[in-house]
Amino acid sequence: MFGQIDPPHRLLMGPGPVNVHPRVLRAMAADMLGQFDPEMTGYMNQTMALYRHVFMTENRWTFLVDGTARAGIEAALVSLVEPGARLLVLRAGRFGLLLSEIAGRIGADIRTLDIPWGEVATRGQIEAAIVEHQPQIFAAIHGDTSTTMAQPLDGVGDICRRHGVLSYVDATATLGGMAVATDAWGVDVVTGGLQKCMGGPPGSAPITISDRAAAHIMARRHVEAGIRTAGSRDGARPRIGSNYFDLAMVMDYWSEQRLNHHTEATSMLYAAREAARIMVEEGLEARFARHRAAGAAMGAGLRAMGLALYGQDAHRMTNVTGVHIPDCIDGEAVRTRMRAEFEIEIGTAFGPLAGKIWRIGAMGYNAMKHKVLITLAALEASLRAEGFSLPQGNAVDAARASYDKG
Amino acid sequence: MFGQIDPPHRLLMGPGPVNVHPRVLRAMAADMLGQFDPEMTGYMNQTMALYRHVFMTENRWTFLVDGTARAGIEAALVSLVEPGARLLVLRAGRFGLLLSEIAGRIGADIRTLDIPWGEVATRGQIEAAIVEHQPQIFAAIHGDTSTTMAQPLDGVGDICRRHGVLSYVDATATLGGMAVATDAWGVDVVTGGLQKCMGGPPGSAPITISDRAAAHIMARRHVEAGIRTAGSRDGARPRIGSNYFDLAMVMDYWSEQRLNHHTEATSMLYAAREAARIMVEEGLEARFARHRAAGAAMGAGLRAMGLALYGQDAHRMTNVTGVHIPDCIDGEAVRTRMRAEFEIEIGTAFGPLAGKIWRIGAMGYNAMKHKVLITLAALEASLRAEGFSLPQGNAVDAARASYDKG
């Protein structure tokens, strides 16, 4: 028989999942409630209110999809995009590719704006692509952890609205760490996850939906046969291709109607609620500044080791840093040493960047000075042990200096 | 600002979710691991081994779908059933209807074997329907909580194999409480949930897949563009209609290949592993007997109050009992009184049974003598308070006697 859960106490400084805030872990230890108990629906309503702060929005429809961040992406796309609908996807990394991968299964007419990995698109490029392709929906990634670049989205929602296009943004890797300014951007649907800057575990995907996007989705509403009543009304547009990810049905459950769909993932709701509560208590600006300071110090420390950062300085995510693996160094040997000797995880990379860069995060509960300094000290020691010659102590000093100059 | 999570201490004696075993709640308080850390993949492998016991199978492919029980159902159907494939669905309640609802969105050619609610199908009826419709896949619910009936499945897998049909069974409501005899039944794919007899929270869906069903699914395998390498090979059959629920990709992640898909829902994996560990420690036969005893005592107690049970005695689920609401009694008033005065939840019903029956569960951590006795005493007092005349104390005595005669 296997023993009880007892994971090593490891510092997770990769691109996520990261260490979970202890308050979030404790929140999950609370027992269940019935799905329709007033206390349960009260917690659901509070969670909606909290995530309006997190998403910086007034959107009524702000709730949780029961699955990991990728579940939120698929729920958004399958509910927004009808088979045959034209979708323009901005792709500048693995997660941009994922959007078109998911949309392909929906049967969308996919058009793409492809940007080299490590770069971002300009507003002009986005508008030109929208004019060229005349899509019904535009989809983009805010922070694509595969490249560690953050796509600027100021003005993008306005461009979309001007051209009659619905917009979707995946903010999994930035939510809780960088400003995800749903209403200021003017975008229609944004999804996230808990396991990065929110400081929670993977398994719940917060989502926010504008009224016009909700109307679009509700036009595809369809009540299940098993709970259909004489008053049940369906929308005029084609039924959504998934039952579990049918946001019209999920919204019916999160509305005053409380129409039964799947059983809400109660423990994950407790986790999501507590993660948002911590964020609201800390204050959004203070939290974003904490991530900026950690990211800047990490970058300064890595450069002081003589390493080159990956991608464009102007568009770096503040919470995860891509860094080139030096020539003649086996990146996996360094990662293994970091884990075995220091119990610290840094990230590998995907596809064309595999073996070429590491991705070092400082997210959520880990976006803290001491964790940045420890990680840099351990990386320096590991690189030296692998035969890389570098000036001793400079990384920590540079990171400390970065914090001092604030 | 909302306060911390602090739910009322309520006894959940409905059809689920139910109170979670404290060991499972504590397991979720453990911190995260990286997705590919050897300790994490070790826990995944242990979870696979544990659920082979739970599903009474030797199937290699036994793992978790990251979502609630309904996510497991959709993952199984969307991965097994190609658009246009013929699917025969056995429907004898709301969850049978759900199977055809989900399959309809996949574009399956759906045929149905419809049985009146409160009854079950015979083997002969199932075989006749298979002969008539010649489906590629047969799908059924083991325990449909909407009717509280358990469909006998002995021999059903053999019938399907004889006719070259793949079989799927949803055992959400019975897994951990009644024998879900995957290999003895000879069925190909079975899914479950944690929030009923497994004594865990909703949010993880255990699944087991036979080798022949896995081969069928792997023929639809498709590697994502973002992680594709020169050696990536796709299957010959049509791509699965969902990315998140693409079991071929999820199996790649749970295999030695560890090909990245979505981030595993770590806390829910901890919960699922602990729930299975408790079950294996208790012993499957002892656990099933505990549920049988609780269900028998609950039924005896309800009858001793003068209430009539719903459905066929021979095919009752052992862990949830349907009972007719007496004429002239407002079922919701009784449920509200149970919750307000006794902090006990019993279940309402769906569709044609709404307002006609209550569903009273004794599942997982709640399938215990004292919880059965407390529930009966509280229901008796609540019925009397609502003006229903009944012999005082008989329910508890009858339940006690049911336990005594063992």
Side-chain angles (χ1 to χ4, degrees), chain A residues 351, chain B residues 222-230 232-234:
Chain B
H222 170 93
V223 179
E224 270 176 42
I227 55 170
R228 187 171 272 282
T229 61
S232 297
R233 279 170 306 121
D234 289 343

Side-chain angles (χ1 to χ4, degrees), chain B residues 30 64 82 106 113 116 152 173 192 194 231 241 267 274 303 342 368 391 401 406:
Chain B
L64 306 175
E82 295 178 6
I106 295 167
L113 169 56
L194 297 189
S267 306
E274 189 67 9
R303 283 182 160 133
F342 297 94
M368 291 194 197

Side-chain angles (χ1 to χ4, degrees), chain A residues 70 74 94 224 242 260, chain B residues 3 70 74 94 224 242 260:
Chain A
R70 185 180 290 224
E74 185 156 326
R94 178 191 171 187
E224 269 175 42
S242 166
N260 179 256
Chain B
R70 185 180 289 225
E74 185 157 326
R94 178 194 170 185
E224 270 176 42
S242 166
N260 178 259

